[in-house]
Amino acid sequence: MPGQQQGGFGQPGYPQGGFGQPQGGFAGGMQPGMPGFAPGQQGQAPYQQRGAASYMTMDDVVVKTSISIVTVIAAAIATWVLVPLDMMIGVAIGGALIGFVLGMVNAFKRNPSGPLVLAYAIAEGVFLGGISGLFEMMYPGIVVQAMLGTMGVFVGMLIVYRTGAIRVTPKFQRWLAAALIGALVLMLFNLGYFLFTGEASLLRDGGPLAIGFSILMIGIAAFTLLADFDLAEQAIRRGAPKNFAWGIAFGLLASLVWLYIEILRLLSYFRE
């Protein structure tokens, strides 16, 4: 239609809003594709032409994200309480592998699926429950500290986003994408080094370099939260369907899981 701007969610006909052209979000490094929407009339948001009940709201995001987090916590507690200590590491590895596969499926699935996101949450809960149980056995009290640290970073980044102290610009998105790729490469290097040598690399041995690396990973994970917040706000403004709230929930959950693991690891270095 003449006079309309190209929309950012895969379909033409979305007027350019105050955000300018929309930026993609990074949910722990990945985010499901945005499904296409029916075009709205020029100068009007899509929800002004169709029933508002079919479009995502901030309440949808909060509810879906809360359900996902509660599912993770419930699965983690069940694993911690029910799984014998000698089986915990194996169960944690199994949960991590299943969570990785489900994470890939959720990340590249065009239409977010609530059951798949909750299945991912259960797998990650099993992984976190096993890892947390082992860390708590070695360093009493560390799990509570890591949880408080994760909550603190989440609230802090939400404040940073709402106040506009750091804006999610195209340059920020490019920087974050490069940082996530670099983090993934280094994590794969650490894993490969451990598998071949049976020892932790310098980036994970608890020394000064390992402490700096963990702080860097915590910083990148925290910045992914800003991208998730921005994606949620832009999706609401541009009339995303209600089920896309599950995609936002998945992104936030992936960021929080990564953040918790890195904080837990960093605290263990200081305990040593």
Side-chain angles (χ1 to χ4, degrees), residues 109-170:
K109 185 175 175 59
R110 184 168 178 80
N111 295 311
S113 168
L116 276 177
V117 173
L118 292 179
Y120 168 79
I122 292 172
E124 290 298 297
V126 171
F127 166 61
L128 293 183
I131 291 296
S132 298
L134 293 173
F135 271 82
E136 185 69 17
M137 180 184 66
M138 294 185 290
Y139 313 106
I142 194 172
V143 170
V144 173
Q145 294 174 348
M147 291 179 64
L148 292 175
T150 303
M151 293 172 57
V153 173
F154 178 84
V155 172
M157 297 311 289
L158 182 59
I159 293 173
V160 166
Y161 178 76
R162 296 304 300 174
T163 58
I166 299 178
R167 296 189 179 277
V168 182
T169 63

Side-chain angles (χ1 to χ4, degrees), residues 2 45 48 59 70 93 111 117 129 135 160 165 168 184 186-187 189 197 204 219 224-225 227-228 232 257 263:
Q48 291 175 313
D59 286 343
V70 169
I93 292 174
N111 295 311
V117 173
F135 271 82
V160 166
V168 182
L184 178 60
L186 290 174
M187 288 178 181
F189 165 77
T197 66
R204 292 301 193 189
T224 64
L225 290 172
D228 293 329
V257 168
I263 291 177

Side-chain angles (χ1 to χ4, degrees), residues 251-262:
L252 289 168
L253 189 61
S255 298
L256 289 172
V257 168
W258 183 21
L259 186 61
Y260 170 80
I261 291 297
E262 292 297 341

Side-chain angles (χ1 to χ4, degrees), residues 33-189:
M34 172 66 76
F37 309 132
Q41 300 299 321
Q42 182 174 355
Q44 292 179 310
Y47 61 78
Q48 291 175 313
Q49 282 77 50
R50 297 178 60 186
S54 63
Y55 292 98
M56 186 180 78
T57 66
M58 188 56 69
D59 286 343
D60 294 324
V61 175
V62 172
V63 170
K64 301 300 189 297
T65 302
S66 299
I67 291 173
S68 301
I69 292 175
V70 169
T71 301
V72 168
I73 294 174
I77 293 174
T79 302
W80 192 342
V81 171
L82 300 177
V83 176
L85 188 61
D86 58 345
M87 297 176 58
M88 197 165 285
I89 185 65
V91 171
I93 292 174
L97 293 175
I98 295 174
F100 176 78
V101 173
L102 290 173
M104 291 295 101
V105 174
N106 278 299
F108 294 104
K109 185 175 175 59
R110 184 168 178 80
N111 295 311
S113 168
L116 276 177
V117 173
L118 292 179
Y120 168 79
I122 292 172
E124 290 298 297
V126 171
F127 166 61
L128 293 183
I131 291 296
S132 298
L134 293 173
F135 271 82
E136 185 69 17
M137 180 184 66
M138 294 185 290
Y139 313 106
I142 194 172
V143 170
V144 173
Q145 294 174 348
M147 291 179 64
L148 292 175
T150 303
M151 293 172 57
V153 173
F154 178 84
V155 172
M157 297 311 289
L158 182 59
I159 293 173
V160 166
Y161 178 76
R162 296 304 300 174
T163 58
I166 299 178
R167 296 189 179 277
V168 182
T169 63
K171 183 177 180 180
F172 176 91
Q173 296 280 22
R174 291 192 294 271
W175 173 88
L176 184 57
L180 287 167
I181 292 172
L184 178 60
V185 170
L186 290 174
M187 288 178 181
L188 291 175
F189 165 77

